[in-house]
Amino acid sequence: MASIEEFEDHCWKDVVPAADLKLYSCYARKTYVGTRPALLAIDLYNIVYRGGAKSPYELDPIYPNSCGVYAHDAIEPTKRLLAAARAAGIPIFYCTQETRPNNRPAGAVSTRRQNAAMPHENDDYDIYREFTPQAADTVIRKQRASVFQGTPIVSHLNILDINSLIVCGESTSGCVRASCVDAYSNGLHVSLVEECTFDRAQLTHKVNLFDLHHKYVDVMHVGEVITHLERLAQPKNA
Amino acid sequence: MASIEEFEDHCWKDVVPAADLKLYSCYARKTYVGTRPALLAIDLYNIVYRGGAKSPYELDPIYPNSCGVYAHDAIEPTKRLLAAARAAGIPIFYCTQETRPNNRPAGAVSTRRQNAAMPHENDDYDIYREFTPQAADTVIRKQRASVFQGTPIVSHLNILDINSLIVCGESTSGCVRASCVDAYSNGLHVSLVEECTFDRAQLTHKVNLFDLHHKYVDVMHVGEVITHLERLAQPKNA
Amino acid sequence: MASIEEFEDHCWKDVVPAADLKLYSCYARKTYVGTRPALLAIDLYNIVYRGGAKSPYELDPIYPNSCGVYAHDAIEPTKRLLAAARAAGIPIFYCTQETRPNNRPAGAVSTRRQNAAMPHENDDYDIYREFTPQAADTVIRKQRASVFQGTPIVSHLNILDINSLIVCGESTSGCVRASCVDAYSNGLHVSLVEECTFDRAQLTHKVNLFDLHHKYVDVMHVGEVITHLERLAQPKNA
Amino acid sequence: MASIEEFEDHCWKDVVPAADLKLYSCYARKTYVGTRPALLAIDLYNIVYRGGAKSPYELDPIYPNSCGVYAHDAIEPTKRLLAAARAAGIPIFYCTQETRPNNRPAGAVSTRRQNAAMPHENDDYDIYREFTPQAADTVIRKQRASVFQGTPIVSHLNILDINSLIVCGESTSGCVRASCVDAYSNGLHVSLVEECTFDRAQLTHKVNLFDLHHKYVDVMHVGEVITHLERLAQPKNA
């Protein structure tokens, strides 16, 4: 849904050198939403919204997991994306941390963060109130960065006859990247929604979007994806 | 721990024809417990004990998931096995059904049983009272027959530096077989404890043990395995 | 494509006790070929045809891997099945052993057979001459029993937009069972073709078909499956 | 083997802002080589060395897959690393593209590069002459970025009793990153050797090393790793 000429019209243009963009021109192509998509909302849980719409640099001493302003800026586009997905009737998947007792041995965690407690059963890893899952949605509990690692999502997608994903969430350089690479490598077309994807730091956010877009997925703008979903939502022979 | 001459000293001798045993003599070998083992107790949950120590044929109309007498006969040896594993200090894994809300789409179930409700949050899939997990144990929640399918157990075993399994539980022809094949195919040595493994029907129980023993795992008697664990439990230089 | 009344009309009727069939009546259902199927032909390689259409008991001393008469009886129905699949234009997958140099460490093999050499580069593991793969087919090289274990087949099926399998080949108690369980657990509908599936010994062949049919797949007769494929092959608006 | 104070002494210091380094200080820790390691050399095949030690910007029109000077600069340290690994007697794994006929359907490729032909059987994907595999090494053929995706490597590592990896090769932003994330998520400790890892463009090389080091692996200098391997190579009680 975006032409080959628009392939680099994304947020990384101010950090990736022109010579590198030229080197990566071999990846340029039209982007699109795949057939029979599901929406996958990655790690939209409470702790990344803590402290409000401030810079993560400022929030870090008190809320070391918060994506602050980047998380809050993504709330409105993500609400619109979810609403369009629900209107189109496509399956909706969320993922979050597994927090149940006895769920893993020490050390089986998403990253090597040193001051992190094991996820536990407070509301840190509940889905943020603006995006509460509904009865028909599926919530995948994971222990690692990728939603495909040690979870049943591949079988769920097959059962629901899904063969592509629309992805949003965080963090771009962590769980989003790992999940997108795995989705692509499992044979799924992935559309990653730029305005609904975020991280704590901008350089790594942008370079990871750049890598993902060229090598594995179609980074798309939220308007394009919503337009596509609205078309799906229309009665077939209205 | 059992010699090659004892390779066929198991419960299947009364159902497998002598000519087939001869055909399978190419699989005969010594059996043993592997190095750095963990214990894996498969699906020791309440519904398979319902109705007491009666024949599953008799229990079927009221308790269609019960293994009846076969489940109850395995209680004492399984308690001894678990006690020996705890005394030896090896890691202990349980698995059971995932019952949390929103955990899967319809149809992502262990078998094609037709009258089965989706697993739900009563006590059907709690571990039976004789085998209650302890704080240091890991409980894997699964949706399919094999404990390796769509779960993080491979990463747990690597983190705990485990490279073999001692397996018990049910059903021999379902979750035990699927889990044992996957364990073997993932490169783990498996010792399956005959007296602590059970099913609803004897022919398929015995033929599956026969298949597993020859092709993938060492079916061993509970006494052999407990003796091995007792040796592990002894202080190294007492 | 077979009614619920025909659910037990299969080869295991002479070995599974009537009381067990009753116990398993909770699995009875209509059987069918799924939507968007691929054909998967498991391990139709030369060594299982060695020595001709004789009993494996007789062939064992010279051809210890041969399925003899069971392999040869399946040749004609398998040729018809493959022809129907090609006429219907569905994707065709084969699998066989990986035989390339340096492909694995010692011990990474399909079963614990003791006298087995590592697969090597003679013609033992070439596909039998009656079933030679064609240019558009995919041949999966595997090291373990299941075609899903350590292979890229899941991604291939997703790319080809396949969500069900028609399966044939050998051995019922080894690679066929392991592959069918994995296919089901990955969310695929599986139709296993009875007359095109075989093993070295009849008891374990029949009990494994019985287990697979009730728990994981639809065991179907070759005529039913070919009729379905012929319908797929017809021009849509002829 | 590197102290917590040296945690950021790596090549990314000139591209990652100081404020981001501060934000990521929660990941700082000692780095080390794990117990029972194997060496994994990723995609050291001919096409990335084509055209000699020039800038990829310059080589791109003729050798669009070449890493040029970055590949050639890594040759000497990689030879030393391989020699040390061989002297220490640890298992050595290579990976490269699968090029055999009929190995996959169209589209099952590592990245979405548009002008790429399907890998074929010339010498493009043979291991570069300086690093030729030896008889005891394992060569994994893969179709996707990660060496863990659709390959039997997990079972090989278990069989060889390996629980950590020393990784080198290319590309940092592609196959190295995907493989390292999967290794970590499978429960393996990973030491990624900075001087033996390379890419076509420096910004994404450095940001990916930065991401990997903080979240998933220990990026280490080649000297540290070789010193460790030399210690392993010494006779235990010399």
Side-chain angles (χ1 to χ4, degrees):
Chain A
M1 287 145 71
S3 71
I4 195 167
E5 289 74 26
E6 299 165 302
F7 190 68
E8 300 292 350
D9 286 348
H10 292 283
C11 65
W12 52 75
K13 283 199 294 189
D14 62 353
V15 300
V16 179
D20 291 3
L21 291 179
K22 184 149 177 290
L23 207 59
Y24 275 72
S25 61
C26 53
Y27 294 98
R29 59 190 189 273
K30 286 185 194 175
T31 58
Y32 60 95
V33 176
T35 53
R36 303 198 311 277
L39 179 69
L40 170 62
I42 297 178
D43 292 3
L44 299 182
Y45 40 57
N46 288 322
I47 52 164
V48 304
Y49 297 92
R50 303 275 195 228
K54 297 179 186 163
S55 162
Y57 298 146
E58 184 183 346
L59 294 171
D60 187 45
I62 302 175
Y63 302 109
N65 295 93
S66 184
C67 295
V69 64
Y70 307 119
H72 285 267
D73 282 355
I75 290 176
E76 284 310 313
T78 303
K79 285 171 69 173
R80 291 198 294 131
L81 179 66
L82 266 164
R86 294 197 186 285
I90 69 172
I92 297 178
F93 284 79
Y94 294 81
C95 62
T96 185
Q97 275 289 330
E98 175 62 77
T99 56
R100 199 154 35 183
N102 293 85
N103 72 72
R104 70 183 101 178
V109 287
S110 296
T111 72
R112 300 190 64 191
R113 193 163 185 142
Q114 296 301 293
N115 56 355
M118 291 282 281
H120 53 292
E121 295 184 281
N122 57 18
D123 72 344
D124 277 356
Y125 294 102
D126 290 355
I127 302 299
Y128 189 61
R129 62 179 179 269
E130 298 275 15
F131 313 121
T132 305
Q134 300 188 0
D137 303 339
T138 302
V139 181
I140 302 288
R141 306 289 173 138
K142 68 188 176 68
Q143 303 187 353
R144 300 302 190 154
S146 168
V147 70
F148 287 82
Q149 186 71 39
T151 82
I153 194 170
V154 164
S155 74
H156 295 176
L157 297 175
N158 280 334
I159 280 180
L160 294 168
D161 214 7
I162 294 303
N163 76 348
S164 67
L165 293 175
I166 298 166
V167 176
C168 65
E170 62 83 29
S171 71
T172 319
S173 67
C175 300
V176 169
R177 175 152 180 167
S179 298
C180 283
V181 174
D182 279 356
Y184 172 73
S185 297
N186 274 285
L188 303 166
H189 182 85
V190 179
S191 303
L192 178 59
V193 186
E194 182 174 329
E195 293 79 2
C196 305
T197 301
F198 53 99
D199 206 322
R200 292 174 75 222
Q202 286 299 84
L203 176 67
T204 186
H205 169 68
K206 291 179 179 179
V207 172
N208 275 286
L209 278 188
F210 170 82
D211 284 348
L212 285 171
H213 184 60
H214 289 79
K215 292 192 168 152
Y216 307 112
V217 309
D218 289 357
V219 175
M220 297 181 69
H221 293 293
V222 64
E224 298 174 298
V225 177
I226 287 175
T227 298
H228 180 88
L229 289 170
E230 285 170 348
R231 235 175 269 135
L232 289 185
Q234 285 164 4
K236 287 297 183 296
N237 42 12
Chain B
M1 288 146 70
S3 71
I4 194 167
E5 289 74 27
E6 300 165 301
F7 190 69
E8 300 290 349
D9 287 348
H10 292 284
C11 65
W12 52 77
K13 284 198 295 188
D14 61 353
V15 301
V16 179
D20 291 2
L21 291 179
K22 185 150 176 289
L23 206 59
Y24 275 71
S25 62
C26 53
Y27 294 97
R29 59 191 189 272
K30 285 185 196 175
T31 58
Y32 60 95
V33 177
T35 54
R36 305 198 310 279
L39 179 69
L40 170 63
I42 296 178
D43 292 2
L44 299 181
Y45 39 57
N46 288 322
I47 52 165
V48 304
Y49 298 92
R50 303 274 194 228
K54 299 179 185 163
S55 162
Y57 299 144
E58 184 183 346
L59 294 171
D60 187 46
I62 302 175
Y63 302 109
N65 295 92
S66 184
C67 296
V69 64
Y70 307 119
H72 284 267
D73 280 356
I75 289 175
E76 283 311 312
T78 303
K79 285 172 70 173
R80 291 198 294 129
L81 180 66
L82 265 164
R86 294 197 185 284
I90 69 172
I92 297 179
F93 285 78
Y94 293 82
C95 61
T96 185
Q97 276 289 330
E98 175 63 77
T99 56
R100 198 156 34 185
N102 294 86
N103 72 72
R104 72 183 99 179
V109 289
S110 295
T111 72
R112 301 189 64 189
R113 193 163 184 142
Q114 297 300 294
N115 57 354
M118 291 282 281
H120 53 292
E121 294 182 283
N122 57 18
D123 73 343
D124 277 355
Y125 293 102
D126 290 355
I127 302 299
Y128 189 61
R129 62 180 178 270
E130 298 276 14
F131 312 122
T132 306
Q134 298 188 2
D137 303 339
T138 302
V139 181
I140 303 288
R141 305 290 173 138
K142 67 187 174 69
Q143 303 187 352
R144 300 301 191 155
S146 168
V147 70
F148 286 82
Q149 185 71 38
T151 81
I153 194 170
V154 165
S155 74
H156 296 176
L157 297 175
N158 279 334
I159 279 179
L160 293 168
D161 214 7
I162 294 304
N163 76 347
S164 67
L165 293 175
I166 298 166
V167 176
C168 66
E170 62 83 30
S171 73
T172 319
S173 66
C175 299
V176 169
R177 176 154 180 165
S179 298
C180 283
V181 174
D182 278 356
Y184 172 74
S185 296
N186 274 283
L188 303 166
H189 182 85
V190 179
S191 303
L192 178 59
V193 187
E194 180 172 331
E195 293 80 3
C196 305
T197 301
F198 52 98
D199 206 321
R200 293 173 76 221
Q202 285 299 85
L203 176 66
T204 187
H205 169 68
K206 291 179 178 180
V207 172
N208 275 286
L209 277 188
F210 171 81
D211 284 348
L212 285 171
H213 184 59
H214 290 78
K215 293 193 167 151
Y216 307 112
V217 311
D218 289 359
V219 176
M220 297 181 70
H221 293 291
V222 65
E224 299 173 299
V225 177
I226 287 175
T227 299
H228 180 87
L229 289 169
E230 285 171 348
R231 237 176 268 135
L232 289 185
Q234 284 165 5
K236 287 296 181 297
N237 43 12
Chain C
M1 286 144 73
S3 71
I4 195 167
E5 290 73 27
E6 301 165 301
F7 190 69
E8 300 291 349
D9 286 348
H10 293 283
C11 65
W12 52 75
K13 283 199 295 188
D14 61 353
V15 301
V16 178
D20 291 3
L21 292 178
K22 184 150 177 288
L23 207 57
Y24 274 72
S25 61
C26 52
Y27 294 97
R29 58 190 189 274
K30 286 185 193 175
T31 59
Y32 60 95
V33 177
T35 54
R36 305 199 309 278
L39 179 69
L40 170 62
I42 296 178
D43 292 2
L44 299 182
Y45 40 58
N46 288 321
I47 51 165
V48 304
Y49 298 91
R50 303 276 194 227
K54 298 178 186 164
S55 162
Y57 298 146
E58 184 183 346
L59 294 171
D60 187 46
I62 302 174
Y63 302 109
N65 295 92
S66 184
C67 296
V69 63
Y70 307 119
H72 285 266
D73 281 355
I75 290 176
E76 284 311 311
T78 303
K79 285 172 70 174
R80 292 198 293 129
L81 179 66
L82 265 164
R86 293 199 187 284
I90 68 172
I92 296 179
F93 285 78
Y94 293 81
C95 61
T96 184
Q97 274 290 329
E98 175 63 76
T99 56
R100 198 154 35 184
N102 293 86
N103 72 71
R104 71 183 101 179
V109 288
S110 295
T111 71
R112 301 190 63 189
R113 194 163 185 142
Q114 296 300 293
N115 56 356
M118 289 282 282
H120 52 294
E121 295 183 281
N122 57 18
D123 73 343
D124 277 356
Y125 294 103
D126 290 353
I127 301 299
Y128 189 61
R129 61 180 179 270
E130 299 275 15
F131 313 121
T132 307
Q134 299 189 2
D137 303 339
T138 302
V139 181
I140 302 288
R141 307 289 173 138
K142 66 188 176 70
Q143 304 187 353
R144 300 301 190 153
S146 168
V147 71
F148 287 82
Q149 186 71 37
T151 82
I153 195 171
V154 165
S155 74
H156 295 177
L157 297 175
N158 279 334
I159 279 179
L160 294 169
D161 214 6
I162 294 303
N163 75 347
S164 67
L165 293 175
I166 297 166
V167 177
C168 67
E170 62 82 31
S171 71
T172 320
S173 67
C175 299
V176 169
R177 175 153 180 165
S179 299
C180 283
V181 174
D182 279 356
Y184 172 73
S185 296
N186 274 283
L188 302 166
H189 182 86
V190 180
S191 303
L192 178 60
V193 186
E194 181 173 329
E195 292 80 4
C196 305
T197 301
F198 52 100
D199 206 323
R200 293 174 74 223
Q202 284 301 85
L203 176 66
T204 186
H205 169 69
K206 291 178 178 180
V207 172
N208 275 284
L209 278 188
F210 170 82
D211 283 348
L212 284 171
H213 184 60
H214 289 79
K215 292 193 169 151
Y216 307 113
V217 310
D218 289 358
V219 175
M220 296 180 69
H221 294 292
V222 65
E224 297 174 300
V225 176
I226 287 175
T227 299
H228 180 87
L229 289 169
E230 285 170 349
R231 234 174 270 136
L232 288 185
Q234 284 164 5
K236 288 295 182 297
N237 42 12
Chain D
M1 287 147 72
S3 71
I4 194 167
E5 289 74 26
E6 300 165 301
F7 190 69
E8 301 290 350
D9 286 349
H10 292 284
C11 65
W12 53 76
K13 283 199 296 189
D14 61 352
V15 301
V16 179
D20 291 3
L21 292 178
K22 186 150 176 290
L23 207 59
Y24 275 71
S25 61
C26 51
Y27 294 97
R29 59 190 189 272
K30 287 185 194 175
T31 58
Y32 61 95
V33 176
T35 54
R36 305 199 310 279
L39 180 68
L40 170 62
I42 297 177
D43 292 2
L44 298 182
Y45 39 58
N46 289 322
I47 51 164
V48 304
Y49 297 92
R50 303 273 195 229
K54 297 179 186 163
S55 162
Y57 298 144
E58 185 183 346
L59 294 171
D60 186 47
I62 301 173
Y63 302 109
N65 294 93
S66 183
C67 296
V69 63
Y70 307 119
H72 285 266
D73 281 356
I75 290 176
E76 283 311 311
T78 303
K79 286 172 69 174
R80 292 198 294 129
L81 180 66
L82 266 164
R86 294 198 186 284
I90 69 172
I92 296 179
F93 285 79
Y94 293 81
C95 61
T96 185
Q97 275 290 330
E98 175 62 78
T99 57
R100 199 155 35 184
N102 293 85
N103 72 73
R104 71 183 99 179
V109 288
S110 295
T111 71
R112 300 189 65 189
R113 192 163 185 142
Q114 296 301 293
N115 57 354
M118 290 283 281
H120 53 292
E121 293 182 284
N122 58 17
D123 73 344
D124 276 356
Y125 293 102
D126 290 354
I127 301 299
Y128 189 61
R129 62 179 178 271
E130 298 276 15
F131 313 121
T132 306
Q134 299 188 2
D137 303 338
T138 302
V139 181
I140 303 287
R141 306 289 173 140
K142 66 188 176 70
Q143 304 187 352
R144 301 303 191 152
S146 168
V147 70
F148 286 82
Q149 185 71 37
T151 83
I153 195 171
V154 164
S155 74
H156 296 176
L157 297 175
N158 279 334
I159 279 179
L160 294 169
D161 214 6
I162 294 302
N163 76 347
S164 67
L165 294 175
I166 297 166
V167 177
C168 66
E170 62 83 31
S171 72
T172 320
S173 67
C175 299
V176 169
R177 176 155 181 163
S179 299
C180 283
V181 174
D182 278 357
Y184 172 74
S185 296
N186 274 284
L188 303 166
H189 182 86
V190 180
S191 303
L192 177 60
V193 187
E194 181 174 330
E195 293 80 3
C196 305
T197 301
F198 52 98
D199 206 322
R200 294 174 73 222
Q202 285 301 84
L203 176 66
T204 185
H205 169 68
K206 291 179 178 180
V207 172
N208 276 285
L209 278 188
F210 170 82
D211 283 349
L212 285 170
H213 184 59
H214 290 79
K215 291 193 169 151
Y216 307 113
V217 311
D218 288 358
V219 175
M220 297 180 70
H221 293 291
V222 66
E224 298 174 299
V225 176
I226 288 175
T227 299
H228 180 87
L229 289 169
E230 285 171 348
R231 233 175 271 135
L232 289 184
Q234 285 164 6
K236 287 297 182 296
N237 42 12

